[in-house]
Amino acid sequence: MKFLVFMFMQTGRNIRHSWGVQLMTLLTVTLSVLIFSFFFLIYTNMVQAGLKLGEGLRLTVYLTAQLNPAEQEEFKKKITDFGRVEKIIFITPAEAFARLGRQLGNDKDVLDDLNPAFLPYSAEIYPHKDIKTLTRIKEFSDFLKNLPGTMKVQYGQGWVERFGHFVRLLRFIVIISGTLLILTTMFMVSYTLRLTLYARQQELKVLRYLGATNSYIKGPVLIEGFTLGLFGSGLGLGALFFLYQWVKNHFGATGFMNIFEFSFLPVSNTAMILFSSIMLCTLGSILSIRRLLKI
Amino acid sequence: MLNNFAENLSPGNVSNLVEIVKVTKIYPPDVVALRNVSLRARKGELIFLTGPSGAGKTTLLKLLCRQEMATKGLIEIEGKDLSALGDNDIQKLRQRIGVAYQDFKLLPRLSVSQNVAMAMEVRFMNPLDIKERVAELLAKLGLSEKHHKPAGKLSRGEQQRVAIARAAAGSPLLLLADEPTGNLDSATTALVMNLFKELNESGSTIIIATHDESIYQGTSHKKFELRQGELYQV
Ligand SMILES: Nc1ncnc2c1ncn2[C@@H]1O[C@H](COP(=O)(O)OP(=O)(O)O)[C@@H](O)[C@H]1O
Ligand SMILES: [Mg+2]
């Protein structure tokens, strides 16, 4: 208990001694955490949105002719042999025509003079959740294209692909900013603390002469690293939350926020970012004292 | 050689706080600062170590707080061989040895009271006790007005007394004072000597290195003289 009191007193003294550099380091940590968690927030929301869209994803196979029940069973069997599906629905031209009418709503009178027969027979295939990755869907579609009696396969390729590229780009940015976060926090903290230790060399020497133990000298430096990590990431995440709230309040009603649920990082992710920043900064402070001179 | 060591050792005699046996100190490359020095200090003794400048007084004190290592010979404190102590044990020992350095070794930017408190903080003493003890010592040494002044802004005489206060702060087992009155007038010298006397009476062993005759003239305490690195009892 007394030990801790002294550790914190000494830490306070160290921070006061070089508060300028410490503040700079704190801001650097804050900024790196903010940048990283910003991209991470966008990334998780995009992935979430992708999952939601994927839930409604279906492949439509246009058939050259109507399949009789036996042919339908065979068709189903071939598909389920290839990959798991949620369900397969066969659609007649009449059903497709009715659906088209529903989709057109008030404009459905344009269909009035048309014969439903101009629409082809088709089958809708809802793949199982497990094969919702882009490449798997593609494979699936290639397989369906080669089935006898298939005219064309459609699944909103262009859109899905573009979305996939976007998510991949985001993932790349998240990794880059995460690496930056690691580098800046760890090395910046260790560099700063080493600088302050050099500035305190005379004091450390005197402390050694007075009988200060290793833990008395190193403890406060560790606490400094820990504190920088705690406040740096706390401020960074706090800033992100305010940013998030601000965007939500100003643009929440208008358009894009409504396309998909845009939500803040889950508690577990927030805790992970907080925890790893603290660990990184503490690690930085360990690096800074590792080679602390022996007197 | 080994036989001589054995003669001088007195195992089990706990009242011997400091035991220096045939110690030689050579600064590289070839400055012989101490030659074959033996000295014993019992618990509660006050010893004057005299001799002209350059005789090796400071070196002897530095050996006792392991700031320097002996080139040859044995140094024991409380029966523990200093050359065999690990890093942590040395620090633990230093916590119980107060040293008033000839060059003070104060931290100029810290206040007087912070400088003195440091010696007790490294021992994790109770903060309230530390505050009380600092005030008491500064009062005894005529520095009551200087509590909050940065040590670097003091006169040399004042700095010297701060260094002495810091050395005395933890009521050390062993107090080493290197020329403690070198920068003091007779009035403040008396304050310092009174403090040493008090500490000594309450059990501290004290070794004072000095060439100031006025403080050891007619004393009943042990006196040794160093001359060119060799020690003689006076
Ligand atoms: N670090 C050192 N390196 C080399 N020589 C030293 C060192 N310290 C002291 N000496 C030499 O050792 C001798 C004794 O010095 P010192 O112990 O300081 O004497 P005193 O304190 O009695 O004046 C002197 O000749 C001095 O020049
Ligand atoms: Mg000297």
Side-chain angles (χ1 to χ4, degrees):
Chain A
M1 181 57 208
K2 227 190 263 175
F3 177 79
L4 279 180
V5 170
F6 274 99
M7 289 294 106
F8 282 111
M9 264 169 55
Q10 190 67 28
T11 310
R13 224 173 268 170
N14 294 352
I15 291 176
R16 241 177 298 146
H17 189 265
S18 54
W19 61 270
V21 223
Q22 310 258 11
L23 195 67
M24 285 304 295
T25 315
L26 182 75
L27 288 181
T28 312
V29 175
T30 302
L31 210 61
S32 333
V33 169
L34 177 61
I35 291 171
F36 170 75
S37 53
F38 173 76
F39 286 118
F40 193 62
L41 175 68
I42 303 224
Y43 173 73
T44 47
N45 273 290
M46 284 301 143
V47 169
Q48 211 53 45
L51 287 179
K52 282 238 180 67
L53 291 172
E55 268 160 33
L57 188 71
R58 59 160 192 247
L59 297 121
T60 307
V61 179
Y62 294 103
L63 303 165
T64 45
Q66 185 173 18
L67 302 178
N68 62 39
E71 286 168 330
Q72 284 188 1
E73 278 315 306
E74 206 195 323
F75 186 80
K76 273 187 183 173
K77 194 178 170 307
K78 275 187 188 149
I79 291 173
T80 43
D81 281 349
F82 179 79
R84 297 174 63 190
V85 293
E86 213 97 286
K87 59 182 174 190
I88 297 174
I89 300 169
F90 292 94
I91 311 257
T92 61
E95 283 165 342
F97 192 77
R99 189 191 281 173
L100 196 57
R102 255 179 278 128
Q103 280 167 353
L104 286 172
N106 289 335
D107 298 325
K108 75 169 179 228
D109 39 339
V110 299
L111 298 176
D112 282 352
D113 299 329
L114 292 172
N115 181 350
F118 84 94
L119 289 167
Y121 285 90
S122 61
E124 286 177 348
I125 292 133
Y126 295 82
H128 190 265
K129 286 202 282 295
D130 295 351
I131 42 177
K132 290 269 162 76
T133 70
L134 217 55
T135 42
R136 274 302 274 159
I137 297 285
K138 228 185 176 134
E139 279 171 29
F140 215 104
S141 129
D142 289 343
F143 165 78
L144 293 172
K145 219 177 281 173
N146 293 324
L147 280 181
T150 299
M151 205 161 61
K152 195 179 170 196
V153 182
Q154 216 174 45
Y155 65 95
Q157 288 94 326
W159 201 89
V160 169
E161 244 162 72
R162 251 173 282 134
F163 186 78
H165 285 315
F166 182 55
V167 169
R168 263 201 300 276
L169 177 70
L170 267 179
R171 192 186 310 150
F172 179 71
I173 296 176
V174 166
I175 291 169
I176 293 287
S177 61
T179 314
L180 275 179
L181 173 76
I182 291 172
L183 292 181
T184 47
T185 46
M186 205 163 75
F187 291 108
M188 186 73 188
V189 166
S190 101
Y191 183 72
T192 312
L193 292 182
R194 193 171 306 159
L195 270 189
T196 64
L197 283 174
Y198 278 130
R200 287 175 58 210
Q201 226 163 17
Q202 190 194 6
E203 182 195 343
L204 297 184
K205 208 161 163 172
V206 170
L207 278 173
R208 296 286 293 176
Y209 285 158
L210 292 177
T213 53
N214 259 332
S215 49
Y216 185 87
I217 293 175
K218 291 182 174 178
V221 182
L222 285 188
I223 297 179
E224 265 179 87
F226 183 93
T227 313
L228 281 171
L230 179 68
F231 284 98
S233 55
L235 282 174
L237 288 167
L240 181 72
F241 187 72
F242 271 105
L243 194 69
Y244 164 80
Q245 286 293 349
W246 187 81
V247 169
K248 211 174 163 179
N249 290 337
H250 281 73
F251 304 101
T254 64
F256 93 99
M257 294 291 261
N258 290 334
I259 299 174
F260 40 75
E261 195 85 24
F262 195 76
S263 53
F264 196 67
L265 294 172
V267 177
S268 61
N269 284 347
T270 314
M272 257 321 282
I273 293 175
L274 204 69
F275 180 76
S276 1
S277 308
I278 292 173
M279 289 320 284
L280 284 171
C281 291
T282 312
L283 202 67
S285 66
I286 291 174
L287 284 181
S288 77
I289 46 179
R290 217 178 29 156
R291 295 184 299 160
L292 198 61
L293 33 120
K294 281 225 162 72
I295 306 150
Chain B
M1 190 67 181
L2 272 171
N3 280 338
N4 278 340
F5 267 80
E7 269 171 40
N8 283 291
L9 289 170
S10 44
N13 187 349
V14 286
S15 68
N16 277 338
L17 181 72
V18 177
E19 187 93 54
I20 299 175
V21 184
K22 297 196 174 235
V23 161
T24 295
K25 173 66 187 178
I26 301 172
Y27 287 110
D30 58 357
V31 184
V32 183
L34 294 173
R35 199 187 302 271
N36 222 17
V37 168
S38 296
L39 173 73
R40 176 179 295 172
R42 293 173 190 286
K43 253 184 197 142
E45 265 185 332
L46 193 157
I47 293 174
F48 287 100
L49 190 62
T50 69
S53 171
K57 304 182 294 295
T58 299
T59 301
L60 190 62
L61 297 189
K62 279 182 176 170
L63 291 178
L64 285 175
C65 57
R66 252 296 288 267
Q67 215 176 311
E68 293 286 350
M69 296 265 268
T71 313
K72 256 193 270 174
L74 175 79
I75 302 177
E76 283 186 346
I77 291 181
E78 282 193 314
K80 281 184 226 117
D81 179 357
L82 289 199
S83 68
L85 289 184
D87 186 64
N88 219 37
D89 289 328
I90 292 167
Q91 295 310 107
K92 288 269 155 62
L93 185 70
R94 281 176 174 174
Q95 288 178 11
R96 301 161 69 213
I97 302 178
V99 189
Y101 294 93
Q102 198 170 1
D103 55 355
F104 318 142
K105 296 199 195 303
L106 299 176
L107 293 172
R109 287 170 25 130
L110 293 189
S111 73
V112 167
S113 43
Q114 277 176 330
N115 266 285
V116 177
M118 271 173 92
M120 294 179 276
E121 284 167 358
V122 298
R123 299 169 55 178
F124 300 112
M125 279 173 61
N126 183 327
L128 288 178
D129 293 346
I130 292 178
K131 216 172 160 197
E132 206 172 290
R133 178 76 174 149
V134 169
E136 179 196 340
L137 281 167
L138 292 185
K140 277 183 183 163
L141 293 174
L143 293 167
S144 287
E145 316 286 293
K146 313 283 180 182
H147 268 259
H148 303 295
K149 229 177 164 184
K153 292 251 160 70
L154 300 180
S155 74
R156 290 190 61 75
E158 288 164 338
Q159 290 189 13
Q160 181 142 49
R161 278 176 282 154
V162 176
I164 290 166
R166 188 180 65 185
S171 304
L173 189 70
L174 175 65
L175 191 146
L176 309 173
D178 200 353
E179 310 277 7
T181 59
N183 298 283
L184 304 182
D185 57 33
S186 57
T188 42
T189 296
L191 291 179
V192 169
M193 291 314 289
N194 274 337
L195 176 66
F196 286 161
K197 215 164 278 163
E198 264 177 47
L199 276 172
N200 184 232
E201 276 158 15
S202 63
S204 293
T205 305
I206 301 180
I207 300 178
I208 303 173
T210 183
H211 61 242
D212 179 359
E213 276 182 46
S214 73
I215 63 171
Y216 59 84
Q217 243 169 12
T219 179
S220 56
H221 297 290
K222 267 196 209 163
K223 273 182 294 181
F224 291 88
E225 188 177 345
L226 269 171
R227 261 176 265 142
Q228 294 184 333
E230 292 186 44
L231 189 72
Y232 305 90
Q233 181 152 16
V234 192

